[in-house]
Amino acid sequence: MSAHTPVFCSIVPPHLLEHLAHSPRAAVAAVARRTLAADASARAARALPRPGSPPTAAPRAAARPHRTVHDCRHGTDLPGGKVRAEGEEATGDAAVNRAYAGLGATFDLFLNAFGRDSIDGSGLPLIASVHYDRDYANAFWNGEQMVFGDGDDEIFLDFTLPVDVIGHELAHGFTQHTANLEYFSQSGALNESVSDVFGSLVKQYALGQSAEAADWLIGEGLFHPNVQGRALRSMKAPGTAYDDDVLGKDPQPAHMDDYVRTSGDNGGVHINSGIPNHAFYLAATELGGNAWERAGRIWYDVMTGGTLTPGTRFAEFAAATVKAAKDRYGDGAEIQAVLKSWAAVGVPVD
Amino acid sequence: MRIRVRRTGGFAGIERSAEVDTAGRPDAGEWAALAGAALAAAGAGDGDGDRSRVPDGFSYEITVDGRTVRCGDPGLTEAQRTLITRVLKEGA
């Protein structure tokens, strides 16, 4: 990535750049083309197999995203009216364009880093609906598509703003099509954590950030400026993302000693996800470089390896990451980093 | 009539709750009708817990005079959605 000269803010996904490259405004088109060229070389470098690593499944040469963005126009009927299909021009609605770009950024990570054609591995069309309900301060995955609210303009801004939130929602679809972790208690916290991990990787990949350079925040930029907080969650330091008079303090634990038992939030799936989140952060920063290359690959292998069950708990997931590290990289730095990271969050692997 | 709404989960995982006491309010009858409709719709799913919820969808507990039902996005009825919105907005 050191050779990657940022010419356009590289959070702009290639699909949007391709569109801009054909802009009637010559200056815009030229900058977009330069960025595309820089991105292409950087991605080719990333895609090179590591010495000694087993070959990965080659993505289909023609794999392309199939995106559709709908507008609920503040109602709750899904998916709402279609406003932008794959390859169509940007609209005048920034939420629509952000959702479209975020779908593309997520597609790019799964294809380029893992050789996966869309979140199901078979070119699943990616569907998002924006402007859901009124003052709706949430985003969710309904089993078929992503849904985004505009925020309440008091605590939360528009949920399409952070690209990792878009990646997080689509990663719920990835989990649904792979390990299908039950959305309750420890398996639910793992489901949430996998979405934070891949959501953060979408952002890191789009920005070309190494594990050291990344902020490891989830939902940075989503809080209204009045809120005392940087983001919703921190993978680097769970429990420190916000501390606000109205919202209270970020309740996430970073260690099993502080595991939260609660009847709400499906047994605290958005709270206890801090523990596996921090394990991923520790493994990725211990290994260094781009987090999607080794730590991300190990987590991806676990999710797609067929050994998890819907009721998988933290200890079983941790053991699966150790096995995946060994299977792919042998007895090297990778397995040591993974073992160390789980021990540090109080989930030791025998 | 005491109507309490507890909202948990959602992408942020931040809990909110609020309660409205309709005693003496001029619109108490309207509240009672709305609460009745919201509870009736949730009756079939009562006791199901939170397991049927979609990832990142809000989970809700609606408690009316001591009886609690659970429901979640996006499977709310209009009565539930209206009641939840009003209680979280107007309640204390």
Side-chain angles (χ1 to χ4, degrees):
Chain A
M1 288 310 299
S2 55
H4 182 175
T5 311
V7 270
F8 230 114
C9 172
S10 59
I11 197 164
V12 182
H15 310 291
L16 187 56
L17 288 170
E18 282 165 20
H19 172 72
L20 291 171
H22 297 104
S23 169
R25 291 171 57 197
V28 170
V31 173
R33 278 197 296 273
R34 279 203 300 280
T35 303
L36 276 169
D39 275 354
S41 60
R43 285 190 179 137
R46 279 178 211 145
L48 290 174
R50 292 177 48 76
S53 64
T56 56
R60 286 188 220 161
R64 304 272 304 166
H66 303 283
R67 294 167 286 182
T68 314
V69 182
H70 300 259
D71 186 347
C72 291
R73 297 185 174 88
H74 307 293
T76 56
D77 290 336
L78 292 171
K82 183 160 82 176
V83 286
R84 190 171 177 196
E86 186 63 44
E88 288 182 1
E89 300 275 321
T91 73
D93 183 336
V96 170
N97 298 332
R98 281 193 296 266
Y100 184 87
L103 294 173
T106 307
F107 184 92
D108 283 349
L109 173 79
F110 278 98
L111 181 67
N112 298 332
F114 308 119
R116 189 176 186 83
D117 181 6
S118 190
I119 55 175
D120 69 339
S122 301
L124 185 78
L126 303 176
I127 303 165
S129 294
V130 300
H131 304 311
Y132 179 80
D133 208 348
R134 289 190 184 279
D135 300 325
Y136 192 76
N138 199 22
F140 63 89
W141 168 261
N142 80 343
E144 296 174 358
Q145 66 159 104
M146 312 157 73
V147 182
F148 296 94
D150 293 338
D152 51 24
D153 208 29
E154 277 179 31
I155 295 170
F156 292 108
L157 304 177
D158 188 321
F159 273 71
T160 60
L161 283 166
V163 72
D164 49 291
V165 172
I166 299 176
H168 175 109
E169 294 311 324
L170 273 181
H172 279 307
F174 166 63
T175 295
Q176 181 184 316
H177 286 280
T178 54
N180 199 24
L181 297 161
E182 189 186 11
Y183 205 65
F184 188 79
S185 190
Q186 285 200 15
S187 58
L190 287 166
N191 188 319
E192 265 305 305
S193 175
V194 165
S195 271
D196 278 353
V197 164
F198 286 93
S200 183
L201 291 180
V202 166
K203 178 176 169 180
Q204 292 175 36
Y205 183 79
L207 292 171
Q209 286 180 331
S210 67
E212 295 75 22
D215 61 18
W216 296 96
L217 295 170
I218 301 297
E220 200 269 328
L222 187 56
F223 277 137
H224 191 279
N226 292 341
V227 175
Q228 297 296 311
R230 290 192 301 161
L232 296 178
R233 293 184 278 278
S234 169
M235 300 177 70
K236 181 177 184 175
T240 68
Y242 60 88
D243 190 352
D244 180 79
D245 289 346
V246 175
L247 291 181
K249 186 176 176 301
D250 175 1
Q252 283 212 311
H255 193 282
M256 280 306 282
D257 287 351
D258 303 311
Y259 187 92
V260 175
R261 297 180 193 284
T262 171
S263 63
D265 186 29
N266 293 18
V269 297
H270 292 88
I271 299 172
N272 294 313
S273 55
I275 296 166
N277 273 0
H278 194 53
F280 181 83
Y281 161 81
L282 290 172
T285 49
E286 171 82 10
L287 290 169
N290 294 323
W292 59 86
E293 287 176 359
R294 289 190 286 169
R297 184 81 222 187
I298 292 165
W299 258 242
Y300 177 87
D301 285 350
V302 167
M303 291 301 289
T304 55
T307 61
L308 301 185
T309 63
T312 293
R313 295 167 63 81
F314 287 2
E316 295 151 349
F317 189 92
T321 62
V322 172
K323 182 176 184 301
K326 188 177 174 64
D327 288 350
R328 183 167 287 275
Y329 299 108
D331 288 314
E334 293 82 4
I335 192 169
Q336 292 308 319
V338 170
L339 281 167
K340 199 170 149 188
S341 72
W342 287 110
V345 300
V347 185
V349 179
D350 297 335
Chain B
M1 178 179 271
R2 285 178 184 276
I3 308 170
R4 182 171 188 78
V5 170
R6 180 184 179 220
R7 188 186 80 188
T8 65
F11 185 91
I14 295 172
E15 182 171 332
R16 272 197 70 190
S17 53
E19 185 173 288
V20 168
D21 187 348
T22 67
R25 289 180 63 133
D27 56 356
E30 194 186 316
W31 280 101
L34 190 56
L39 258 60
D46 202 0
D48 187 36
D50 291 326
R51 293 184 182 228
S52 59
R53 309 297 164 240
V54 302
D56 294 323
F58 284 129
S59 297
Y60 304 98
E61 288 175 10
I62 306 172
T63 304
V64 180
D65 288 341
R67 184 187 164 210
T68 299
V69 296
R70 291 189 168 87
C71 51
D73 281 334
L76 299 180
T77 64
E78 271 314 301
Q80 289 168 346
R81 192 183 305 282
T82 305
L83 181 70
I84 288 164
T85 304
R86 285 189 63 181
V87 172
L88 290 179
K89 198 169 185 175
E90 299 176 33

